[in-house]
Amino acid sequence: MAKVVKEKKTNGYFKYIKWFWILFISGILLVVLIFLSASWGLLGEMPEYEYLENPQTNLATEIISSDAKTLGKFYLDDNRTPVPYDSLPQNLVNALVATEDARFYDHSGIDARGTLRAFAYLGKKGGASTISQQLARQLFVGVRSKNKFETIKQKVMEWVLATRLERQYTKEEIIAMYLNQYDFLNNADGIRSAAKIYFGKEPQELKTEESAVLVGMLKNSSYFNPIRREELVRNRRNTVLGQMAKYEYITEQEKDSLQSLKMDINFNPESHKEGLATYFRMYLQGFMNDWISKNPKPALEGGRDKWNLYLDGLKIYTTIDSRMQANAEDAVRKHMANLQNEFFHQNTPDRNPTAPFLDLEKSEINKIMERAMKNSSRWRKMKAEGKSDKDIRASFTKKTEMTVFDWNSDGRERDTIMTPMDSIRYYKTFLRAAMMSMEPQTGHVKAWVGGIDYRHFQYDNVIQGSRQAGSTFKPFVYAAAIDQLRLSPCETLPDTQYCIEAGKHGNMEAWCPDNSDGKFSGEDMTLKDALANSVNSVTAQLIDRVGPRSVVSIIKNLGLKREILEVPSIALGTPESNVYEMVGAYGAFANQGVYVKPVMVTRIEDKNGTVLYEYVPETKDVLSKDVAYAMVNLMEGVTHGGSGTRLRHSGRKNSTVYKEIITGYPYGFTNAIAGKTGTTQNQSDGWFMGMVPNLVTGVWVGGEERSTHFKSIAYGQGASMALPIWGLYMKKNYENKSLGISDGEFEKPKNLSINVDCTKVVEDSENEDDDGGLDDDLDDLDF
């Protein structure tokens, strides 16, 4: 009896063991089948191995300055610029591993211990996602589904992809890919953008506590947002620091010290309308679109047949120096804010009822406003919506809430209520500015400021616009005269009324220009003094002798592209040009007569560093070294006794016109400076072209409308409107010795054949004629 009972018990026990093994093996087979199904793509499309080798992520195109700083990026949705592992600070890597995956270096994509713990405690004691799994989700799986069945499918796919990634990449590459891929919010896609946007640094410059902030955001960047939830992020940072101490990446003492620190967020939002060199970046966008249209993508690159400026991760190496660009923008901002305050002061309703316009009839003002209204984005948008002209016009007279530009407000913006038509007039009140700075020997453009604020004034006055050049055009007349007639800066001509008769040089009528003050001294004056003081009578005599055609020929060779009438009046600056062309042209004077076309882009690379484009300089010999040096010597006179003399002053007392708040005094320059001021009719445009041996800079200031200008020449001349920007800019440049801006003399040619020393007495009158003196024989030449 006892024997039978024992057999029954044994058989019953064996049955349970058998079912345990059946279920266990079935479970394992089920798991294997699920993984195989995921691997075969039965649970959802899986990426090919080729795609795993080279994951296609959208990469922003990076704009790099000549001093290796990022000026900005071109991107659509992803502001991402990847960095290699060796550009990541060790404290960032340590914080990531300690917080997200402590056994990262020990597993092959799946953390078995962590997974069992997650199952046992249902995730209450932490999840089990490894860094490799999180990367797989970001690259290939996507946002976690709210459906439980879909969530399980996604999790399985993550496991499969994580193991594949581990086979394909090193641990270091996986860490770099993960940090480069993560969206840190606020256009901070990837660790490089995040470091720049939240701390104003490159990743390798991050401190331990800063790295802890960014690693803390990996849990949920939307929730742990340092801009909106500073205290929450600070607590999360301290948790990360605690994990680093737990796994002995830092000591307990270091942890306590770092946790006591305040949050030090240096928020630098990146957008196409903000940051450094905004106008230049928009010029560059057009340059790149043109380049892309002419340079198809190589077939071996795969995918699109054209380069995509916003997705392909190109690197554009530019000539802009970020330090000089910042100095230029600061100079424009400081001077224009002061100048605008004075303009507002002079255009109050009691002083100028038609403000901001001067000398216009009401009908003329109405035409300006009508044209501006029809060119506005509001008009275009409503027209596209099918609204009638009547309804559109009515909308322009209704008051509405808006944000407008204001020099005196924080962030240069203020909220207000006004009609759209009033806002048009308001914006026309602001004076505009443009500035470009170039190295004449190479043509490298070092700074580019197209306006006063890109968010509100997007027209680039450096290259898009063209305005009359005024007296900055006169050096081209002098250059033609010195080149053809071998004149010296010390030659003299009388300051008397001079007329070019009708029918000569294409004149329809006699041309008898006045000097700017309407007076003539009647005395002989050197060419150097005449140019320094912009004496029109002397310039008229010179263009009569060389002829307008010679002047036009020279300026065409100096890069001015617009059609110019070959008439004598061009001598006084009636032709239109822009800052870009004028700087290029003046560069030839500083570069011993050789014109070098301004260049902004030196090299373009793809994301792998393959060079796609390299700049080849475009140069042209226009003037001899002797003539170019004579012109520089002439223009040095402008800053020694001419309209640019204020650059030499250390300050001026008892003056309301030239006080520091208006012009930015004092400057106190003592080095060699050649330059020329320019002022057009009615003070509509103020120019200053300034040169030192290795830097040529042009500045223009004026209103959008020519009728928007100062009433008097005291404020409206180029010396008051434009020159101060040059002065402020150069003072900042000279403060930074590493920029290498020359403070020496211009290079003098050996065996100079043109006399530039006006203190030297020429004793032999026969030799004087041979050197190019204005003798009677010139009247017989056919110009």
Side-chain angles (χ1 to χ4, degrees):
M1 252 336 245
K3 188 177 180 180
V4 174
V5 172
K6 186 176 181 181
E7 285 179 358
K8 285 184 178 180
K9 285 184 179 180
T10 303
N11 289 338
Y13 183 67
F14 177 76
K15 180 174 68 174
Y16 288 123
I17 292 175
K18 182 176 71 173
W19 277 107
F20 169 79
W21 283 108
I22 289 173
L23 291 174
F24 179 75
I25 293 171
S26 298
I28 291 176
L29 290 174
L30 179 62
V31 170
V32 171
L33 181 62
I34 290 173
F35 273 85
L36 286 174
S37 298
S39 181
W40 294 332
L42 299 179
L43 299 184
E45 187 176 357
M46 295 286 280
E48 300 291 337
Y49 275 97
E50 292 80 5
Y51 192 69
L52 282 172
E53 291 175 1
N54 185 25
Q56 299 297 312
T57 56
N58 294 337
L59 303 178
T61 289
E62 186 178 9
I63 307 165
I64 303 169
S65 70
S66 63
D67 56 321
K69 301 294 183 182
T70 300
L71 291 174
K73 299 175 187 175
F74 293 121
Y75 60 91
L76 293 177
D77 298 318
D78 296 336
N79 177 21
R80 179 177 290 105
T81 304
V83 293
Y85 179 83
D86 56 14
S87 292
L88 301 174
Q90 192 60 46
N91 61 53
L92 177 68
V93 175
N94 294 342
L96 172 64
V97 173
T99 307
E100 295 294 322
D101 191 355
R103 286 176 290 279
F104 174 69
Y105 294 106
D106 300 322
H107 62 66
S108 299
I110 300 174
D111 181 4
R113 247 171 79 186
T115 301
L116 290 174
R117 184 195 64 222
F119 274 119
Y121 294 98
L122 300 178
K124 292 179 180 179
K125 291 193 175 182
S129 283
T130 63
I131 292 173
S132 304
Q133 287 175 245
Q134 292 178 50
L135 174 60
R137 181 166 70 247
Q138 289 183 46
L139 287 174
F140 310 113
V141 179
V143 179
R144 179 77 74 232
S145 173
K146 294 181 179 180
N147 181 287
K148 289 185 178 180
F149 178 71
E150 287 294 326
T151 299
I152 293 172
K153 280 174 52 179
Q154 289 179 327
K155 197 69 178 175
V156 172
M157 291 172 69
E158 283 175 24
W159 283 336
V160 172
L161 290 170
T163 56
R164 289 184 178 180
L165 287 171
E166 289 274 352
R167 289 198 299 269
Q168 198 72 41
Y169 296 100
T170 66
K171 292 288 187 179
E172 289 76 15
E173 288 173 328
I174 287 173
I175 284 177
M177 289 172 67
Y178 176 57
L179 290 172
N180 283 324
Q181 184 65 25
Y182 192 80
D183 181 0
F184 289 88
L185 219 61
N186 295 310
N187 282 335
D189 298 295
I191 190 62
R192 189 175 183 196
S193 292
K196 192 76 178 288
I197 288 173
Y198 292 115
F199 297 105
K201 298 180 176 182
E202 291 294 326
Q204 58 264 40
E205 299 170 334
L206 291 171
K207 299 176 182 177
T208 300
E209 65 273 20
E210 294 167 339
S211 292
V213 170
L214 297 179
V215 168
M217 293 178 69
L218 296 173
K219 186 173 184 179
N220 185 331
S221 59
S222 180
Y223 185 67
F224 294 101
N225 183 341
I227 307 305
R228 296 176 55 197
R229 301 185 176 95
E230 185 172 339
E231 189 58 32
L232 188 68
V233 174
R234 184 175 182 272
N235 292 336
R236 176 64 182 161
R237 177 203 68 178
N238 290 348
T239 298
V240 173
L241 293 170
Q243 288 293 104
M244 294 181 74
K246 176 181 176 181
Y247 291 102
E248 299 182 349
Y249 290 113
I250 58 175
T251 65
E252 285 293 327
Q253 186 178 1
E254 287 175 321
K255 180 200 76 171
D256 293 340
S257 176
L258 293 173
Q259 286 181 340
S260 67
L261 295 175
K262 293 182 179 180
M263 290 277 287
D264 190 19
I265 300 296
N266 178 18
F267 189 50
N268 297 276
E270 288 187 355
S271 77
H272 302 305
K273 293 184 179 182
E274 295 177 298
L276 200 63
T278 45
Y279 289 94
F280 172 74
R281 284 189 270 142
M282 288 307 103
Y283 159 78
L284 194 58
Q285 185 180 46
F287 174 93
M288 288 301 299
N289 287 337
D290 181 63
W291 179 84
I292 286 169
S293 70
K294 298 174 182 175
N295 294 271
K297 196 173 187 181
L300 54 87
E301 290 285 341
R304 298 175 292 270
D305 60 351
K306 283 189 174 183
W307 293 105
N308 191 303
L309 183 60
Y310 307 98
L311 304 177
D312 284 338
L314 301 175
K315 292 188 184 301
I316 309 171
Y317 292 87
T318 73
T319 60
I320 299 293
D321 187 294
S322 68
R323 299 160 296 178
M324 295 172 71
Q325 179 68 30
N327 291 344
E329 293 183 12
D330 185 61
V332 169
R333 182 167 53 249
K334 284 181 178 177
H335 176 65
M336 293 305 295
N338 290 334
L339 193 68
Q340 190 65 49
N341 283 337
E342 180 60 30
F343 189 77
F344 282 142
H345 175 70
Q346 294 186 23
N347 282 275
T348 54
D350 58 317
R351 290 186 175 90
N352 179 16
T354 60
F357 311 108
L358 275 173
D359 309 320
L360 290 185
E361 299 292 333
K362 186 176 181 181
S363 60
E364 294 174 301
I365 294 174
N366 289 340
K367 287 180 182 178
I368 291 174
M369 298 299 291
E370 175 80 4
R371 183 178 68 247
M373 177 176 67
K374 289 187 174 180
N375 287 335
S376 68
S377 58
R378 172 185 283 268
W379 182 281
R380 290 195 300 271
K381 183 178 179 182
M382 295 184 73
K383 199 72 175 174
E385 293 172 352
K387 301 289 178 64
S388 67
D389 285 7
K390 181 180 178 181
D391 289 340
I392 298 174
R393 288 180 186 278
S395 74
F396 275 85
T397 59
K398 293 179 180 177
K399 288 191 174 184
T400 182
E401 295 181 355
M402 61 179 70
T403 301
V404 297
F405 176 79
D406 188 343
W407 278 118
N408 298 316
S409 296
D410 292 338
R412 301 200 297 279
E413 283 185 339
R414 65 179 172 88
D415 295 327
T416 188
I417 298 176
M418 64 172 72
T419 69
M421 189 60 82
D422 286 340
S423 75
I424 289 175
R425 194 164 189 140
Y426 173 76
Y427 277 107
K428 286 189 179 295
T429 306
F430 285 93
L431 297 173
R432 316 298 171 87
M435 176 183 182
M436 192 178 101
S437 196
M438 184 190 79
E439 191 177 75
Q441 290 76 22
T442 62
H444 287 189
V445 174
K446 311 308 289 185
W448 176 303
V449 185
I452 57 176
D453 185 277
Y454 187 78
R455 288 170 298 177
H456 296 276
F457 305 93
Q458 295 181 14
Y459 190 82
D460 188 347
N461 292 287
V462 165
I463 199 166
Q464 284 182 303
S466 61
R467 299 294 282 260
Q468 287 186 334
S471 292
T472 56
F473 193 87
K474 288 178 180 175
F476 306 134
V477 179
Y478 280 71
I482 292 175
D483 184 44
Q484 293 190 23
L485 309 178
R486 306 306 293 174
L487 301 183
S488 158
C490 306
E491 298 287 347
T492 60
L493 287 173
D495 177 21
T496 56
Q497 179 82 64
Y498 189 86
C499 292
I500 299 178
E501 64 268 24
K504 189 177 184 182
H505 304 313
N507 262 1
M508 297 297 292
E509 298 177 353
W511 184 61
C512 308
D514 290 331
N515 287 332
S516 60
D517 59 0
K519 300 175 183 178
F520 301 94
S521 67
E523 300 177 356
D524 286 348
M525 57 193 321
T526 64
L527 297 189
K528 194 167 187 176
D529 287 340
L531 183 63
N533 294 284
S534 284
V535 179
N536 292 341
S537 62
V538 172
T539 310
Q541 294 174 63
L542 292 177
I543 199 167
D544 186 23
R545 292 183 179 276
V546 298
R549 181 171 296 178
S550 298
V551 177
V552 171
S553 175
I554 281 181
I555 63 177
K556 290 294 183 184
N557 286 328
L558 290 174
L560 275 69
K561 301 299 184 185
R562 289 165 181 76
E563 288 301 319
I564 297 176
L565 292 175
E566 295 176 357
V567 294
S569 60
I570 65 173
L572 305 188
T574 56
E576 294 189 346
S577 185
N578 57 38
V579 174
Y580 171 86
E581 291 179 340
M582 292 295 284
V583 170
Y586 269 67
F589 297 135
N591 191 34
Q592 299 187 320
V594 179
Y595 169 77
V596 182
K597 185 179 179 180
V599 57
M600 286 69 73
V601 177
T602 56
R603 190 169 80 255
I604 301 171
E605 295 179 356
D606 68 10
K607 65 181 180 181
N608 300 314
T610 303
V611 176
L612 307 174
Y613 164 86
E614 204 148 19
Y615 170 73
V616 177
E618 297 181 43
T619 65
K620 182 185 290 187
D621 291 337
V622 181
L623 303 168
S624 70
K625 290 182 179 181
D626 288 7
V627 172
Y629 183 78
M631 285 306 305
V632 167
N633 181 268
L634 273 171
M635 287 186 279
E636 283 189 271
V638 173
T639 66
H640 289 283
S643 54
T645 306
R646 65 190 68 185
L647 289 171
R648 305 293 182 185
H649 296 168
S650 298
R652 183 179 297 206
K653 298 180 180 179
N654 303 320
S655 171
T656 58
V657 175
Y658 303 119
K659 60 186 178 181
E660 183 174 348
I661 193 171
I662 299 302
T663 64
Y665 271 174
Y667 308 116
F669 294 115
T670 58
N671 56 292
I673 299 171
K676 187 70 190 80
T677 58
T679 309
T680 62
Q681 191 174 19
N682 297 326
Q683 300 81 243
S684 293
D685 307 276
W687 290 81
F688 182 69
M689 305 298 299
M691 301 185 289
V692 296
N694 64 351
L695 194 66
V696 177
T697 304
V699 183
W700 167 86
V701 174
E704 180 185 18
E705 305 293 336
R706 295 179 192 273
S707 53
T708 302
H709 58 78
F710 281 103
K711 186 175 293 186
S712 72
I713 199 168
Y715 286 94
Q717 63 179 299
S720 297
M721 288 212 293
L723 177 146
I725 292 175
W726 190 92
L728 292 170
Y729 169 64
M730 292 300 291
K731 277 181 71 71
K732 279 276 193 177
N733 285 344
Y734 280 127
E735 287 172 5
N736 187 345
K737 300 299 182 183
S738 66
L739 292 176
I741 307 301
S742 172
D743 58 1
E745 300 293 325
F746 289 89
E747 184 178 353
K748 185 176 181 179
K750 294 180 180 178
N751 303 317
L752 180 66
S753 63
I754 300 174
N755 175 38
V756 297
D757 183 2
C758 297
T759 62
K760 181 179 178 181
V761 179
V762 180
E763 298 177 350
D764 190 338
S765 60
E766 197 171 298
N767 288 340
E768 180 182 327
D769 284 345
D770 291 342
D771 284 342
L774 287 174
D775 59 27
D776 294 336
D777 292 338
L778 290 175
D779 293 330
D780 297 329
L781 295 175
D782 181 12
F783 298 118

